[in-house]
Amino acid sequence: MTKNTTEKIPTTAPKILMISGELSGDLHGSALIKEILSTCPEVTIKGMGGKKMLAAGLSGFDSSSISVVGLVEVLKKYGEIKAAFNTLKKLLTTEDFDLVVLIDYPDFNLRFASEALGLGVPVLYYISPQVWAWRKGRVKEIARVVDKLLVVFPFEVELYKNTDLDVEFVGHPLAETTHLGLSSAEAKKKLGIDENKTLLAILPGSRTEEVKRLLRPMVAGAMLFRETLKEDTVIILPVASSIDDELIHSLLGEVASTIKIVRDKTYLALNAADIAVVASGTATLETALFETPMVIVYSLSPISFFISSKLVEIDTVGLPNIIAGKKIVPELLQSEVTPENIFKELSKLFDKENYTEVRSNLGKLREKLGEGSASKNAAKAIFTLLDKNKSGKETTPPLSEQTL
């Protein structure tokens, strides 16, 4: 099957259909929308995203309710996910879009890319599926249905060298968003915390199922750290915008009064924190870019973890460790996620010599993620593709027959 290169010549300002389905994609998508609209305010952007994308100028519906990970978790939300897909498919077929922009959320988005392929609408994919970690066979599928791929790690370009796909490293968007220009003491002051206190941040994830599984052991481990090692510790819990207060308080109960719970201050909390416990995902990279030593925890339903363990082709799950090419911060997986183990790893991290080494290793990660202009580079790539399409040029070189 060859790629359909039928092109639409926009007679008005460009129309983009943009899709994101996760909190991290919402953050990066909102920055991208702002860059697009600052360059050309007349661009119309419709589709699906989170609250940040909607606030930035996306016209469409909120993806928060279908932001899930793991087979069992996806099955629970299958009806909602299918309904969202069908709504977007109808939008694609009833309106004349010049470009589809997909952000992460691979299983959903790659299927949608195939729909766009059938209609001859060019597809730009921002933030490549993590084929370097699992399901490397998706490289061929991505090359078949995508016109332009924007990757956020430099090593990802090499993964597509045996395809005809146009791949560009644009830098990682977090490299541009994790600069607050504050010292730890200044950040603590903004949070109303004594700069001499030890600040321990807990980030249990942005998905409801993650929080239900991880929050209690994370808090219990942090409290062991405070009671046993550092009595002056302040435990701070930055709550993701996708998580309800009611859920947090139902999980914490009376313990909630001993924890500083904040919203919309995650980066400030990470900037201020001396140490952290973080659910595996984008938050681990955010924490790393603030050079905050952390314990990474990860837990799925038993069935989802079993299936994932058979598919994953790397020995580590934390992004800081993957990017560094070695384990620079500890990881606790599944049954290892206990208060006692979390306390044990926090204690090791807080050892002065170890702490200094970990911070040094984390400090080296930023230089691997570009110069902090990912959104601008991505917006430029989008307009280049739109211009090529408008002028009647092929969006990518013709692809040879490929099978999944």
Side-chain angles (χ1 to χ4, degrees):
M1 179 178 179
T2 57
K3 185 172 294 187
N4 188 333
T5 55
T6 302
E7 291 138 355
K8 297 180 180 180
I9 310 301
T11 57
T12 58
K15 288 181 65 175
I16 295 173
L17 197 163
M18 187 178 293
I19 301 173
S20 169
E22 296 175 308
L23 199 63
S24 59
D26 182 41
L27 175 65
H28 307 325
S30 66
L32 178 57
I33 289 171
K34 290 173 185 176
E35 284 290 345
I36 291 170
L37 295 179
S38 69
T39 302
C40 182
E42 293 78 23
V43 173
T44 297
I45 305 174
K46 295 186 176 183
M48 180 178 77
K51 292 177 174 61
K52 287 183 172 62
M53 288 173 65
L54 293 168
L58 175 73
S59 173
F61 58 97
D62 195 338
S63 62
S64 299
S65 67
I66 60 171
S67 177
V68 291
V69 64
L71 176 62
V72 173
E73 294 77 7
V74 168
L75 289 175
K76 289 179 181 178
K77 292 281 188 177
Y78 179 74
E80 290 181 63
I81 294 171
K82 184 178 180 181
F85 188 91
N86 289 337
T87 299
L88 290 164
K89 181 180 175 181
K90 183 176 180 181
L91 182 64
L92 179 66
T93 56
T94 56
E95 297 198 26
D96 188 29
F97 288 98
D98 302 296
L99 182 65
V100 170
V101 175
L102 305 173
I103 304 172
D104 206 359
Y105 205 45
D107 290 318
F108 187 102
N109 276 339
L110 286 177
R111 185 181 167 201
F112 195 85
S114 185
E115 297 289 343
L117 168 70
L119 294 170
V121 183
V123 175
L124 180 141
Y125 205 122
Y126 180 39
I127 306 179
S128 167
Q130 296 177 350
V131 294
W132 37 268
W134 67 309
R135 292 171 62 186
K136 289 183 179 178
R138 288 183 297 176
V139 166
K140 289 184 178 181
E141 179 187 359
I142 293 166
R144 183 180 67 85
V145 299
V146 172
D147 292 274
K148 175 83 174 183
L149 179 64
L150 306 182
V151 299
V152 297
F153 299 116
F155 61 80
E156 290 179 303
V157 175
E158 182 72 9
L159 298 173
Y160 296 89
K161 66 178 182 179
N162 293 325
T163 74
D164 294 320
L165 182 57
D166 183 8
V167 183
E168 180 181 348
F169 170 60
V170 294
H172 201 289
L174 289 181
E176 63 190 301
T177 59
T178 53
H179 283 292
L180 296 188
L182 298 173
S183 66
S184 176
E186 289 169 334
K188 284 180 180 177
K189 185 176 180 180
K190 282 184 172 290
L191 289 166
I193 298 169
D194 185 334
E195 66 178 87
N196 296 312
K197 299 276 188 181
T198 300
L199 185 60
L200 195 167
I202 294 174
L203 285 81
S206 60
R207 303 179 183 93
T208 297
E209 292 301 319
E210 283 181 316
V211 175
K212 286 180 178 178
R213 254 192 300 273
L214 295 173
L215 182 57
R216 283 175 172 162
M218 291 170 82
V219 168
M223 293 182 72
L224 274 176
F225 178 85
R226 180 168 63 189
E227 294 164 2
T228 309
L229 197 65
K230 292 287 291 182
E231 292 183 0
D232 68 342
T233 298
V234 175
I235 300 172
I236 190 167
L237 172 59
V239 180
S241 61
S242 54
I243 303 300
D244 294 332
D245 285 332
E246 185 178 341
L247 174 62
I248 296 297
H249 287 281
S250 69
L251 291 171
L252 293 180
E254 295 179 359
V255 175
S257 62
T258 69
I259 296 172
K260 187 175 182 65
I261 300 173
V262 297
R263 280 194 177 272
D264 302 319
K265 295 180 180 178
T266 299
Y267 281 5
L268 189 61
L270 289 175
N271 196 155
D274 298 293
I275 197 165
V277 186
V278 189
S280 180
T282 303
T284 63
L285 187 52
E286 293 171 320
T287 306
L289 289 171
F290 281 106
E291 299 179 21
T292 303
M294 78 194 89
V295 178
I296 295 174
V297 297
Y298 182 70
S299 180
L300 292 171
S301 68
I303 294 175
S304 293
F305 184 78
F306 175 77
I307 294 171
S308 297
S309 66
K310 300 300 179 183
L311 297 173
V312 171
E313 300 176 19
I314 52 178
D315 298 326
T316 184
V317 301
L319 283 172
N321 293 332
I322 292 168
I323 297 167
K326 60 181 180 179
K327 189 169 285 189
I328 60 177
V329 293
E331 299 178 357
L332 297 173
L333 312 181
Q334 292 299 103
S335 61
E336 297 173 343
V337 183
T338 65
E340 294 75 20
N341 285 340
I342 291 171
F343 163 67
K344 181 180 177 181
E345 294 300 338
L346 284 172
S347 301
K348 289 180 183 177
L349 273 181
F350 215 68
D351 172 76
K352 186 174 181 180
E353 185 175 335
N354 191 30
Y355 188 86
T356 301
E357 181 182 357
V358 171
R359 286 209 65 181
S360 175
N361 285 328
L362 292 174
K364 297 173 184 176
L365 295 183
R366 186 177 289 275
E367 63 191 54
K368 296 185 177 183
L369 300 179
E371 300 177 354
S373 54
S375 298
K376 188 172 290 186
N377 292 337
K380 182 179 178 181
I382 285 171
F383 283 113
T384 298
L385 193 54
L386 284 168
D387 286 343
K388 285 183 178 180
N389 188 46
K390 186 176 181 179
S391 63
K393 297 179 181 178
E394 289 185 337
T395 55
T396 58
L399 294 178
S400 58
E401 286 286 321
Q402 295 189 55
T403 58
L404 294 180

